Short mmCIF file of all heavy atoms in Angstrom, two decimals:
data_model
loop_
_atom_site.label_atom_id
_atom_site.label_comp_id
_atom_site.label_asym_id
_atom_site.label_seq_id
_atom_site.Cartn_x
_atom_site.Cartn_y
_atom_site.Cartn_z
N ARG L 173 -12.93 25.02 7.07
CA ARG L 173 -11.95 24.91 8.16
C ARG L 173 -11.49 23.45 8.21
O ARG L 173 -12.00 22.66 8.99
CB ARG L 173 -12.56 25.37 9.48
CG ARG L 173 -13.12 26.78 9.44
CD ARG L 173 -13.64 27.26 10.80
NE ARG L 173 -14.51 26.29 11.46
CZ ARG L 173 -15.80 26.11 11.17
NH1 ARG L 173 -16.37 26.81 10.20
NH2 ARG L 173 -16.52 25.22 11.83
N ILE L 174 -10.51 23.14 7.37
CA ILE L 174 -10.12 21.74 7.16
C ILE L 174 -8.81 21.45 7.89
O ILE L 174 -7.78 22.08 7.63
CB ILE L 174 -9.97 21.44 5.66
CG1 ILE L 174 -11.29 21.76 4.93
CG2 ILE L 174 -9.58 19.98 5.44
CD1 ILE L 174 -11.20 21.64 3.43
N GLY L 175 -8.85 20.50 8.79
CA GLY L 175 -7.66 20.09 9.53
C GLY L 175 -7.01 18.87 8.90
O GLY L 175 -7.56 18.24 8.00
N PHE L 176 -5.82 18.55 9.40
CA PHE L 176 -5.09 17.35 8.97
C PHE L 176 -4.67 16.60 10.23
O PHE L 176 -4.08 17.19 11.14
CB PHE L 176 -3.86 17.73 8.14
CG PHE L 176 -3.14 16.55 7.54
CD1 PHE L 176 -3.37 16.20 6.22
CD2 PHE L 176 -2.25 15.80 8.29
CE1 PHE L 176 -2.72 15.10 5.65
CE2 PHE L 176 -1.60 14.70 7.74
CZ PHE L 176 -1.83 14.36 6.42
N VAL L 177 -4.94 15.30 10.28
CA VAL L 177 -4.68 14.50 11.49
C VAL L 177 -3.87 13.26 11.14
O VAL L 177 -4.14 12.58 10.15
CB VAL L 177 -6.02 14.08 12.14
CG1 VAL L 177 -5.78 13.04 13.24
CG2 VAL L 177 -6.74 15.29 12.71
N GLY L 178 -2.88 12.95 12.00
CA GLY L 178 -2.24 11.65 11.95
C GLY L 178 -0.78 11.64 11.59
O GLY L 178 -0.16 10.57 11.56
N HIS L 179 -0.18 12.80 11.32
CA HIS L 179 1.26 12.80 11.02
C HIS L 179 2.06 12.60 12.30
O HIS L 179 1.53 12.72 13.42
CB HIS L 179 1.67 14.10 10.33
CG HIS L 179 1.40 15.32 11.13
ND1 HIS L 179 0.13 15.83 11.30
CD2 HIS L 179 2.23 16.13 11.83
CE1 HIS L 179 0.20 16.91 12.06
NE2 HIS L 179 1.45 17.10 12.41
N GLU L 180 3.35 12.32 12.14
CA GLU L 180 4.19 12.01 13.30
C GLU L 180 4.47 13.25 14.15
O GLU L 180 4.52 14.37 13.64
CB GLU L 180 5.52 11.42 12.81
CG GLU L 180 5.38 10.08 12.10
CD GLU L 180 4.95 10.19 10.65
OE1 GLU L 180 4.80 11.34 10.14
OE2 GLU L 180 4.73 9.15 10.01
N THR L 181 4.67 13.04 15.44
CA THR L 181 4.92 14.15 16.35
C THR L 181 6.32 14.72 16.19
O THR L 181 6.56 15.88 16.51
CB THR L 181 4.74 13.70 17.81
OG1 THR L 181 5.57 12.56 18.06
CG2 THR L 181 3.30 13.32 18.10
N THR L 182 7.25 13.91 15.70
CA THR L 182 8.64 14.39 15.55
C THR L 182 8.99 14.44 14.07
O THR L 182 8.47 15.28 13.34
CB THR L 182 9.60 13.48 16.33
OG1 THR L 182 9.40 12.12 15.93
CG2 THR L 182 9.34 13.60 17.83
N LEU L 184 8.84 13.85 10.30
CA LEU L 184 7.80 13.43 9.36
C LEU L 184 8.30 12.27 8.51
O LEU L 184 9.42 12.30 8.00
CB LEU L 184 7.41 14.58 8.43
CG LEU L 184 6.50 15.68 8.96
CD1 LEU L 184 6.24 16.69 7.85
CD2 LEU L 184 5.20 15.11 9.48
N SER L 188 3.74 11.04 5.26
CA SER L 188 3.06 12.21 5.83
C SER L 188 3.45 13.48 5.11
O SER L 188 2.61 14.35 4.84
CB SER L 188 3.40 12.33 7.32
OG SER L 188 2.88 11.24 8.04
N ILE L 192 0.71 15.95 3.39
CA ILE L 192 0.53 17.31 3.88
C ILE L 192 0.76 18.32 2.76
O ILE L 192 0.06 19.34 2.66
CB ILE L 192 1.46 17.58 5.09
CG1 ILE L 192 0.98 16.78 6.31
CG2 ILE L 192 1.51 19.08 5.42
CD1 ILE L 192 1.91 16.86 7.49
N TYR L 195 -2.38 18.39 0.67
CA TYR L 195 -3.41 19.08 1.46
C TYR L 195 -3.21 20.59 1.38
O TYR L 195 -4.14 21.36 1.11
CB TYR L 195 -3.32 18.57 2.89
CG TYR L 195 -3.85 19.46 3.98
CD1 TYR L 195 -5.21 19.50 4.28
CD2 TYR L 195 -2.98 20.22 4.77
CE1 TYR L 195 -5.69 20.29 5.32
CE2 TYR L 195 -3.45 21.01 5.80
CZ TYR L 195 -4.80 21.04 6.07
OH TYR L 195 -5.27 21.83 7.09
N ASP L 207 -2.88 26.68 7.89
CA ASP L 207 -2.57 27.11 9.26
C ASP L 207 -1.99 25.92 10.02
O ASP L 207 -2.67 24.89 10.18
CB ASP L 207 -3.85 27.60 9.93
CG ASP L 207 -3.60 28.20 11.32
OD1 ASP L 207 -2.50 27.99 11.86
OD2 ASP L 207 -4.51 28.84 11.84
N PRO L 208 -0.75 26.01 10.51
CA PRO L 208 -0.15 24.90 11.26
C PRO L 208 -0.98 24.47 12.46
O PRO L 208 -0.90 23.31 12.89
CB PRO L 208 1.21 25.46 11.69
CG PRO L 208 1.51 26.55 10.72
CD PRO L 208 0.19 27.14 10.35
N ARG L 209 -1.79 25.37 13.00
CA ARG L 209 -2.61 25.03 14.16
C ARG L 209 -3.74 24.06 13.80
O ARG L 209 -4.37 23.49 14.70
CB ARG L 209 -3.20 26.30 14.77
CG ARG L 209 -2.14 27.23 15.40
CD ARG L 209 -2.76 28.54 15.83
NE ARG L 209 -3.30 29.29 14.68
CZ ARG L 209 -3.87 30.47 14.78
NH1 ARG L 209 -4.00 31.06 15.96
NH2 ARG L 209 -4.33 31.08 13.69
N MET L 210 -3.98 23.88 12.51
CA MET L 210 -5.03 22.95 12.08
C MET L 210 -4.51 21.52 11.97
O MET L 210 -5.28 20.60 11.71
CB MET L 210 -5.59 23.40 10.72
CG MET L 210 -6.22 24.78 10.75
SD MET L 210 -7.69 24.85 11.78
CE MET L 210 -8.92 24.21 10.65
N LEU L 211 -3.20 21.33 12.16
CA LEU L 211 -2.60 20.01 12.06
C LEU L 211 -2.50 19.37 13.44
O LEU L 211 -2.06 20.00 14.41
CB LEU L 211 -1.19 20.09 11.45
CG LEU L 211 -1.09 20.11 9.92
CD1 LEU L 211 -1.84 21.30 9.33
CD2 LEU L 211 0.37 20.13 9.48
N VAL L 212 -2.92 18.11 13.54
CA VAL L 212 -2.88 17.38 14.80
C VAL L 212 -2.00 16.14 14.62
O VAL L 212 -2.34 15.23 13.85
CB VAL L 212 -4.29 16.97 15.26
CG1 VAL L 212 -4.21 16.09 16.52
CG2 VAL L 212 -5.16 18.19 15.51
N ALA L 213 -0.88 16.12 15.32
CA ALA L 213 0.04 14.98 15.24
C ALA L 213 -0.38 13.88 16.21
O ALA L 213 -1.10 14.13 17.19
CB ALA L 213 1.46 15.45 15.56
N THR L 214 0.08 12.67 15.94
CA THR L 214 -0.22 11.54 16.82
C THR L 214 1.06 10.82 17.22
O THR L 214 2.06 10.85 16.50
CB THR L 214 -1.17 10.54 16.13
OG1 THR L 214 -0.57 10.07 14.93
CG2 THR L 214 -2.49 11.21 15.79
N ALA L 215 1.00 10.13 18.36
CA ALA L 215 2.18 9.48 18.89
C ALA L 215 2.58 8.24 18.09
O ALA L 215 3.74 7.84 18.09
CB ALA L 215 1.95 9.09 20.35
N SER L 216 1.62 7.63 17.39
CA SER L 216 1.92 6.43 16.61
C SER L 216 0.85 6.25 15.55
O SER L 216 -0.17 6.95 15.55
CB SER L 216 1.96 5.19 17.52
OG SER L 216 0.66 4.91 18.01
N ILE L 217 1.09 5.31 14.65
CA ILE L 217 0.08 4.96 13.64
C ILE L 217 -0.91 4.02 14.32
O ILE L 217 -0.81 2.79 14.23
CB ILE L 217 0.73 4.30 12.42
CG1 ILE L 217 1.77 5.22 11.80
CG2 ILE L 217 -0.33 3.94 11.37
CD1 ILE L 217 2.53 4.60 10.64
N ASP L 218 -1.86 4.62 15.04
CA ASP L 218 -2.74 3.84 15.89
C ASP L 218 -4.03 4.62 16.12
O ASP L 218 -3.99 5.84 16.37
CB ASP L 218 -2.04 3.55 17.22
CG ASP L 218 -2.90 2.76 18.17
OD1 ASP L 218 -2.96 1.53 18.04
OD2 ASP L 218 -3.52 3.39 19.05
N ALA L 219 -5.18 3.95 16.05
CA ALA L 219 -6.46 4.63 16.21
C ALA L 219 -6.62 5.18 17.63
O ALA L 219 -7.16 6.29 17.82
CB ALA L 219 -7.60 3.67 15.88
N ALA L 220 -6.16 4.44 18.63
CA ALA L 220 -6.32 4.90 20.01
C ALA L 220 -5.50 6.16 20.27
O ALA L 220 -5.97 7.11 20.91
CB ALA L 220 -5.91 3.79 20.98
N ASP L 221 -4.25 6.19 19.79
CA ASP L 221 -3.42 7.38 19.95
C ASP L 221 -4.01 8.57 19.20
O ASP L 221 -3.95 9.71 19.66
CB ASP L 221 -2.00 7.12 19.45
CG ASP L 221 -1.17 6.33 20.45
OD1 ASP L 221 -1.57 6.27 21.63
OD2 ASP L 221 -0.13 5.77 20.07
N THR L 222 -4.60 8.32 18.04
CA THR L 222 -5.23 9.40 17.30
C THR L 222 -6.42 9.95 18.05
O THR L 222 -6.61 11.17 18.14
CB THR L 222 -5.68 8.91 15.91
OG1 THR L 222 -4.56 8.39 15.21
CG2 THR L 222 -6.29 10.05 15.11
N ALA L 223 -7.25 9.08 18.60
CA ALA L 223 -8.40 9.53 19.37
C ALA L 223 -7.96 10.41 20.53
O ALA L 223 -8.57 11.46 20.80
CB ALA L 223 -9.20 8.34 19.87
N SER L 224 -6.89 10.01 21.21
CA SER L 224 -6.38 10.81 22.33
C SER L 224 -5.90 12.18 21.86
O SER L 224 -6.19 13.20 22.50
CB SER L 224 -5.23 10.04 23.00
OG SER L 224 -4.66 10.80 24.05
N ALA L 225 -5.19 12.22 20.74
CA ALA L 225 -4.68 13.49 20.21
C ALA L 225 -5.82 14.41 19.78
O ALA L 225 -5.78 15.63 20.01
CB ALA L 225 -3.75 13.22 19.04
N VAL L 226 -6.86 13.85 19.17
CA VAL L 226 -7.99 14.66 18.72
C VAL L 226 -8.78 15.18 19.93
O VAL L 226 -9.22 16.34 19.94
CB VAL L 226 -8.88 13.86 17.76
CG1 VAL L 226 -10.18 14.60 17.46
CG2 VAL L 226 -8.13 13.57 16.46
N ARG L 227 -8.96 14.35 20.95
CA ARG L 227 -9.63 14.83 22.17
C ARG L 227 -8.91 16.04 22.74
O ARG L 227 -9.53 17.04 23.11
CB ARG L 227 -9.67 13.71 23.21
CG ARG L 227 -10.61 12.58 22.94
CD ARG L 227 -10.70 11.64 24.14
NE ARG L 227 -11.07 10.30 23.73
CZ ARG L 227 -10.23 9.28 23.63
NH1 ARG L 227 -8.94 9.45 23.93
NH2 ARG L 227 -10.66 8.10 23.25
N GLN L 228 -7.58 15.94 22.83
CA GLN L 228 -6.80 17.04 23.38
C GLN L 228 -6.92 18.29 22.51
O GLN L 228 -7.09 19.41 23.03
CB GLN L 228 -5.33 16.64 23.49
CG GLN L 228 -4.45 17.74 24.09
CD GLN L 228 -3.01 17.29 24.27
OE1 GLN L 228 -2.71 16.09 24.27
NE2 GLN L 228 -2.10 18.23 24.42
N ALA L 229 -6.89 18.10 21.20
CA ALA L 229 -7.01 19.25 20.30
C ALA L 229 -8.37 19.93 20.46
O ALA L 229 -8.47 21.17 20.49
CB ALA L 229 -6.81 18.80 18.86
N LEU L 230 -9.43 19.14 20.57
CA LEU L 230 -10.76 19.71 20.76
C LEU L 230 -10.85 20.46 22.09
O LEU L 230 -11.44 21.55 22.17
CB LEU L 230 -11.81 18.61 20.71
CG LEU L 230 -12.02 17.94 19.34
CD1 LEU L 230 -12.89 16.70 19.48
CD2 LEU L 230 -12.67 18.93 18.36
N ASP L 231 -10.25 19.90 23.12
CA ASP L 231 -10.25 20.57 24.43
C ASP L 231 -9.51 21.90 24.38
O ASP L 231 -9.80 22.81 25.16
CB ASP L 231 -9.61 19.66 25.48
CG ASP L 231 -10.46 18.45 25.79
OD1 ASP L 231 -11.66 18.47 25.46
OD2 ASP L 231 -9.92 17.47 26.35
N GLU L 232 -8.55 22.02 23.46
CA GLU L 232 -7.77 23.24 23.33
C GLU L 232 -8.36 24.22 22.32
O GLU L 232 -7.73 25.22 21.97
CB GLU L 232 -6.33 22.88 22.94
CG GLU L 232 -5.59 22.11 24.05
CD GLU L 232 -4.23 21.59 23.60
OE1 GLU L 232 -3.92 21.74 22.40
OE2 GLU L 232 -3.49 21.04 24.44
N GLY L 233 -9.57 23.91 21.82
CA GLY L 233 -10.25 24.85 20.94
C GLY L 233 -10.08 24.60 19.45
O GLY L 233 -10.38 25.49 18.65
N TRP L 234 -9.63 23.41 19.08
CA TRP L 234 -9.47 23.08 17.66
C TRP L 234 -10.83 23.18 16.97
O TRP L 234 -11.77 22.47 17.31
CB TRP L 234 -8.92 21.67 17.57
CG TRP L 234 -8.44 21.21 16.22
CD1 TRP L 234 -7.58 21.83 15.38
CD2 TRP L 234 -8.77 19.95 15.60
NE1 TRP L 234 -7.34 21.07 14.27
CE2 TRP L 234 -8.06 19.91 14.37
CE3 TRP L 234 -9.58 18.88 15.96
CZ2 TRP L 234 -8.15 18.82 13.51
CZ3 TRP L 234 -9.67 17.79 15.10
CH2 TRP L 234 -8.96 17.77 13.88
N ASP L 235 -10.97 24.08 16.02
CA ASP L 235 -12.26 24.37 15.39
C ASP L 235 -12.21 24.02 13.91
O ASP L 235 -11.65 24.76 13.11
CB ASP L 235 -12.61 25.85 15.58
CG ASP L 235 -13.96 26.21 14.98
OD1 ASP L 235 -14.78 25.30 14.81
OD2 ASP L 235 -14.17 27.40 14.67
N VAL L 236 -12.76 22.89 13.54
CA VAL L 236 -12.73 22.42 12.17
C VAL L 236 -14.13 22.03 11.72
O VAL L 236 -15.00 21.73 12.54
CB VAL L 236 -11.79 21.20 12.00
CG1 VAL L 236 -10.35 21.57 12.29
CG2 VAL L 236 -12.24 20.05 12.91
N ASP L 237 -14.35 22.06 10.41
CA ASP L 237 -15.58 21.49 9.87
C ASP L 237 -15.29 20.31 8.94
O ASP L 237 -16.20 19.74 8.35
CB ASP L 237 -16.44 22.54 9.17
CG ASP L 237 -15.77 23.17 7.95
OD1 ASP L 237 -14.67 22.73 7.58
OD2 ASP L 237 -16.36 24.10 7.38
N ALA L 238 -14.00 19.96 8.81
CA ALA L 238 -13.60 18.79 8.04
C ALA L 238 -12.20 18.39 8.46
O ALA L 238 -11.41 19.22 8.93
CB ALA L 238 -13.64 19.07 6.54
N VAL L 239 -11.88 17.11 8.27
CA VAL L 239 -10.57 16.59 8.64
C VAL L 239 -10.07 15.64 7.56
O VAL L 239 -10.77 14.70 7.17
CB VAL L 239 -10.61 15.82 9.98
CG1 VAL L 239 -9.22 15.31 10.34
CG2 VAL L 239 -11.16 16.69 11.10
N VAL L 240 -8.87 15.90 7.06
CA VAL L 240 -8.16 14.96 6.20
C VAL L 240 -7.26 14.12 7.11
O VAL L 240 -6.39 14.67 7.79
CB VAL L 240 -7.30 15.68 5.15
CG1 VAL L 240 -6.47 14.67 4.35
CG2 VAL L 240 -8.18 16.50 4.21
N CYS L 241 -7.49 12.84 7.16
CA CYS L 241 -6.68 11.96 8.01
C CYS L 241 -5.61 11.25 7.19
O CYS L 241 -5.84 10.85 6.05
CB CYS L 241 -7.56 10.93 8.71
SG CYS L 241 -8.72 11.67 9.89
N ARG L 242 -4.46 11.09 7.80
CA ARG L 242 -3.30 10.50 7.12
C ARG L 242 -3.59 9.10 6.62
O ARG L 242 -3.09 8.68 5.57
CB ARG L 242 -2.12 10.46 8.09
CG ARG L 242 -0.85 9.84 7.52
CD ARG L 242 0.13 9.56 8.64
NE ARG L 242 1.39 9.03 8.14
CZ ARG L 242 1.63 7.75 7.87
NH1 ARG L 242 0.67 6.85 8.03
NH2 ARG L 242 2.82 7.35 7.43
N ASP L 243 -4.40 8.34 7.35
CA ASP L 243 -4.75 6.99 6.95
C ASP L 243 -6.05 6.60 7.62
O ASP L 243 -6.63 7.36 8.40
CB ASP L 243 -3.62 5.99 7.30
CG ASP L 243 -3.19 6.09 8.75
OD1 ASP L 243 -4.06 6.19 9.64
OD2 ASP L 243 -1.96 6.08 9.01
N LEU L 245 -6.64 4.34 9.93
CA LEU L 245 -6.56 4.20 11.38
C LEU L 245 -6.74 5.55 12.06
O LEU L 245 -7.45 5.68 13.06
CB LEU L 245 -5.22 3.58 11.77
CG LEU L 245 -5.05 2.08 11.53
CD1 LEU L 245 -3.64 1.65 11.90
CD2 LEU L 245 -6.08 1.29 12.33
N ALA L 246 -6.08 6.60 11.51
CA ALA L 246 -6.25 7.94 12.08
C ALA L 246 -7.70 8.39 11.94
O ALA L 246 -8.25 9.05 12.84
CB ALA L 246 -5.31 8.92 11.37
N ALA L 247 -8.34 8.06 10.84
CA ALA L 247 -9.74 8.44 10.64
C ALA L 247 -10.65 7.75 11.65
O ALA L 247 -11.58 8.36 12.19
CB ALA L 247 -10.17 8.10 9.22
N GLY L 249 -9.81 6.71 14.67
CA GLY L 249 -9.61 7.37 15.95
C GLY L 249 -10.30 8.72 16.01
O GLY L 249 -10.87 9.10 17.05
N THR L 250 -10.27 9.44 14.90
CA THR L 250 -10.93 10.74 14.83
C THR L 250 -12.44 10.59 14.98
O THR L 250 -13.10 11.35 15.71
CB THR L 250 -10.59 11.44 13.51
OG1 THR L 250 -9.17 11.63 13.44
CG2 THR L 250 -11.28 12.78 13.38
N LEU L 251 -13.03 9.61 14.30
CA LEU L 251 -14.47 9.36 14.42
C LEU L 251 -14.85 9.07 15.87
O LEU L 251 -15.87 9.57 16.37
CB LEU L 251 -14.87 8.17 13.54
CG LEU L 251 -14.86 8.38 12.02
CD1 LEU L 251 -15.17 7.06 11.32
CD2 LEU L 251 -15.88 9.45 11.61
N ALA L 253 -13.25 10.03 18.68
CA ALA L 253 -13.13 11.22 19.52
C ALA L 253 -14.27 12.20 19.25
O ALA L 253 -14.83 12.78 20.20
CB ALA L 253 -11.79 11.90 19.27
N LEU L 254 -14.64 12.39 18.00
CA LEU L 254 -15.74 13.30 17.68
C LEU L 254 -17.05 12.79 18.25
O LEU L 254 -17.86 13.56 18.79
CB LEU L 254 -15.84 13.47 16.16
CG LEU L 254 -14.67 14.18 15.47
CD1 LEU L 254 -14.83 14.12 13.96
CD2 LEU L 254 -14.56 15.63 15.95
N VAL L 265 -18.77 17.89 11.21
CA VAL L 265 -17.39 17.71 10.73
C VAL L 265 -17.34 16.53 9.76
O VAL L 265 -17.80 15.43 10.10
CB VAL L 265 -16.41 17.46 11.89
CG1 VAL L 265 -15.00 17.20 11.36
CG2 VAL L 265 -16.39 18.63 12.86
N THR L 268 -12.25 12.23 6.37
CA THR L 268 -11.77 11.35 5.29
C THR L 268 -10.58 10.53 5.78
O THR L 268 -9.80 10.98 6.61
CB THR L 268 -11.35 12.14 4.04
OG1 THR L 268 -10.19 12.92 4.33
CG2 THR L 268 -12.47 13.06 3.57
#
Side-chain angles (χ1 to χ4, degrees):
R173 304 184 312 280
I174 303 174
F176 186 99
V177 169
H179 60 286
E180 295 81 3
T181 54
T182 53
L184 282 181
S188 294
I192 290 174
Y195 156 82
D207 186 346
R209 293 173 297 181
M210 299 294 278
L211 275 60
V212 175
T214 59
S216 68
I217 302 176
D218 179 82
D221 282 343
T222 303
S224 177
V226 171
R227 288 188 206 102
Q228 181 177 342
L230 292 169
D231 291 342
E232 294 172 354
W234 191 51
D235 181 22
V236 295
D237 63 4
V239 181
V240 174
C241 294
R242 179 193 183 276
D243 52 44
L245 284 177
T250 300
L251 289 175
L254 293 173
V265 177
T268 67

